[in-house]
Amino acid sequence: MDLFTSLDGYVPSDPTPENPMGTGWSQLTAAWTATRTFRRNLGDSSGSGTTGMDDRYAAAFVDGIGAEIMGAGMFGFHAFPDDDSWTGWWGERPPFGTPVYVLTHRAPRPSIVMDGGTTFHFRDTTVEEVLAEARQAAGDLDVRIGGGYGTARDFLRAGLVDDLHLMVAPVFLGRGHRLWDELAGFDAGYKISTEVAESGQIHITLTR
Amino acid sequence: MDLFTSLDGYVPSDPTPENPMGTGWSQLTAAWTATRTFRRNLGDSSGSGTTGMDDRYAAAFVDGIGAEIMGAGMFGFHAFPDDDSWTGWWGERPPFGTPVYVLTHRAPRPSIVMDGGTTFHFRDTTVEEVLAEARQAAGDLDVRIGGGYGTARDFLRAGLVDDLHLMVAPVFLGRGHRLWDELAGFDAGYKISTEVAESGQIHITLTR
C-alpha cells in the first residue's frame, strides 16, 4: 500500500468534481507526478520527468502488482454519485493496468473495461473478502491497496497490509482528514525505514 | 525552536514523576540522546556517542543560544506541583548553560542558579513579553523556545519562531498530544527542508 500525507499528517478531505482529490492533493503528489515513470505510465513517451529516488519508488509502485483495491471516493463515486455512465476520474487510460476492485455500496454494478489493461470491478463486501478475490486475480503478483483515506485505514486496522510505503510531502496542509487518528498499535510487527529524496519528499517504508 | 514528534504527529501527554516526559519520549529522543554532543553536554567526557547527522544537529542545538524559554511542564512543575524545593527534572547540571525562562502561573518565585551556567527564572507573562526579556538576556545570541508541547504551539501560533527544527523519530506512538492540531497556516513564509540521518531520524527545518 502506498499513501500520501503531509508533514502534519493530513490527507485532503474536500474532493469536488473540479478538484477531485481535494485541496492540497497536488502538493502532496508533486514529487511523485514529476517522475519519469509516472509520466510514462500516463502515456508520456518523451522521457521527461525526474529520475532519482522518487522515480525508483514510482517504478516499484507498478512493479509486480496484479490487482488493486480502492474505495468509492478514490474511484470518484463521491463526486458523481448519481451518474451511472461515470467511469471514474482516472481518464480513459487509468494508470493501473490491472483489475481494480472498487469497494462501494453501489455494487452490484457491471464491470468497466478501460484502455491500458485496467478493468474496474465493483464490490460491496468486507475488506477480507475483497482482498481474497483480488489475490485470486493477482495470481503470483501482489495486490495493492490504492486508497483513499478510509479504505487505507480499514486495511491497516484489519492488519491486512504487508508493505506500507508512506510518502510525506514537505508541506503542512493544516486541515483535512487526520491519517493517523485511532490507529494506535497498527505498526506492531513492522520494521520501519526512512529516507529523503532529492525533491525533499520523505519515503517511509513499513515491512513485516 | 527544536521539537520532537513521531511519524503520526504525537507528543507524549502523560508525564509522571517516574516517567517525567511521558510514554514514548525515550523513543522520540533515542537518536538524539545517542549523540556524542548530547552525552558530552551531560558531562560524559569519554567521547562515546554517534557522530553523524544527528550529532551535527545536536551540536547546532547548543551553538549560539544565549537564553531559553520553556513551559512549566518541561521544567517539571506538573509532576511536583506543590514542592517549592523542586529544581526541575533536568538534574544538578541541566544541559542548557544559559538563563532559562520558565513560563508558569506559579511565578513570582525566586530564580534558581544551577551548575553548568543554567539559571531558571520563573515568569507569568505573555509569550511576547517573555521573549522580549529572553532576547535582552541573550544579547547577540539566539533565544531558543525549548517546549514543551503547549509552549511550542503558543509560539508557533503567535508567529514568533524564526527557525524550527523538527525531529521526527521513525516510530508511531499512536497516542498523545497531536502536535499539529489547529495550527493551520503557521508555516506561511517558511522554507522547508528535509533530510534523514543514519539513525532513521527525520530532520525537518523551517526557516524564514
Side-chain angles (χ1 to χ4, degrees):
Chain A
M1 182 159 80
D2 302 75
L3 288 175
F4 294 94
T5 186
S6 61
L7 288 172
D8 45 357
Y10 284 111
V11 177
S13 59
D14 55 352
T16 63
E18 294 71 35
N19 189 8
M21 304 303 282
T23 306
W25 183 252
S26 61
Q27 290 171 273
L28 293 192
T29 58
W32 187 251
T33 57
T35 62
R36 188 169 65 179
T37 296
F38 181 87
R39 292 179 177 200
R40 196 171 46 208
N41 291 339
L42 282 184
D44 176 354
S45 56
S46 72
S48 72
T50 66
T51 58
M53 184 188 296
D54 292 323
D55 192 55
R56 291 196 294 279
Y57 277 105
F61 183 75
V62 294
D63 203 36
I65 301 295
E68 171 119 3
I69 297 169
M70 62 175 61
M74 191 169 165
F75 173 75
F77 273 132
H78 295 171
F80 295 95
D82 299 323
D83 183 350
D84 281 348
S85 68
W86 171 238
T87 60
W89 51 40
W90 295 95
E92 285 304 304
R93 192 181 188 283
F96 307 108
T98 68
V100 175
Y101 294 86
V102 180
L103 281 164
T104 172
H105 299 308
R106 290 179 187 83
R109 190 187 135 108
S111 298
I112 308 174
V113 180
M114 309 292 291
D115 289 347
T118 297
T119 300
F120 289 114
H121 302 289
F122 303 93
R123 297 289 182 265
D124 184 8
T125 66
T126 65
V127 289
E128 288 82 2
E129 285 168 338
V130 76
L131 179 59
E133 185 178 0
R135 277 206 172 118
Q136 188 94 14
D140 292 339
L141 299 177
D142 289 331
V143 174
R144 180 171 55 214
I145 314 302
Y149 164 80
T151 303
R153 286 165 48 87
D154 287 346
F155 277 86
L156 286 175
R157 234 185 323 243
L160 296 174
V161 178
D162 292 327
D163 297 281
L164 173 59
H165 170 218
L166 178 66
M167 284 168 278
V168 184
V171 299
F172 291 87
L173 289 185
R175 62 190 173 126
H177 291 301
R178 285 192 292 247
L179 181 57
W180 303 117
D181 258 23
E182 287 162 33
L183 280 179
F186 90 91
D187 57 312
Y190 288 107
K191 284 189 184 175
I192 301 176
S193 73
T194 51
E195 51 184 351
V196 166
E198 300 81 350
S199 62
Q201 180 97 325
I202 302 164
H203 293 273
I204 300 167
T205 306
L206 284 75
T207 49
R208 289 202 195 272
Chain B
M1 181 159 82
D2 301 76
L3 288 175
F4 294 93
T5 186
S6 59
L7 289 172
D8 45 357
Y10 285 111
V11 176
S13 59
D14 55 352
T16 63
E18 294 72 33
N19 189 8
M21 305 304 281
T23 306
W25 183 251
S26 62
Q27 290 171 271
L28 293 191
T29 58
W32 188 252
T33 57
T35 63
R36 187 170 66 181
T37 296
F38 181 87
R39 293 177 177 200
R40 195 171 46 208
N41 291 339
L42 283 184
D44 176 355
S45 57
S46 71
S48 71
T50 66
T51 57
M53 185 189 295
D54 292 324
D55 193 55
R56 291 197 293 280
Y57 277 104
F61 183 75
V62 294
D63 202 38
I65 302 294
E68 172 121 359
I69 297 170
M70 64 174 60
M74 189 168 167
F75 174 76
F77 273 131
H78 295 171
F80 295 96
D82 300 322
D83 183 350
D84 282 348
S85 69
W86 171 239
T87 61
W89 50 40
W90 295 95
E92 286 303 304
R93 191 180 187 282
F96 308 108
T98 68
V100 175
Y101 294 86
V102 180
L103 281 164
T104 173
H105 299 309
R106 291 179 185 82
R109 188 186 138 109
S111 298
I112 308 174
V113 179
M114 308 293 290
D115 289 347
T118 297
T119 300
F120 290 114
H121 303 289
F122 303 93
R123 297 290 183 266
D124 184 7
T125 67
T126 64
V127 289
E128 288 83 1
E129 285 168 337
V130 76
L131 179 59
E133 185 178 1
R135 278 206 170 118
Q136 189 94 15
D140 293 336
L141 299 177
D142 289 331
V143 175
R144 181 172 53 214
I145 314 303
Y149 164 80
T151 302
R153 285 165 49 87
D154 288 345
F155 277 86
L156 286 175
R157 234 185 322 243
L160 296 173
V161 178
D162 292 328
D163 297 280
L164 173 58
H165 170 218
L166 178 66
M167 283 168 280
V168 183
V171 299
F172 291 87
L173 287 186
R175 62 189 175 128
H177 291 300
R178 286 193 291 248
L179 181 56
W180 304 117
D181 258 22
E182 288 163 33
L183 279 178
F186 91 91
D187 56 314
Y190 289 106
K191 283 189 186 176
I192 301 176
S193 73
T194 51
E195 52 184 349
V196 166
E198 299 82 351
S199 62
Q201 179 97 325
I202 302 165
H203 293 273
I204 299 167
T205 306
L206 284 76
T207 49
R208 290 202 195 270

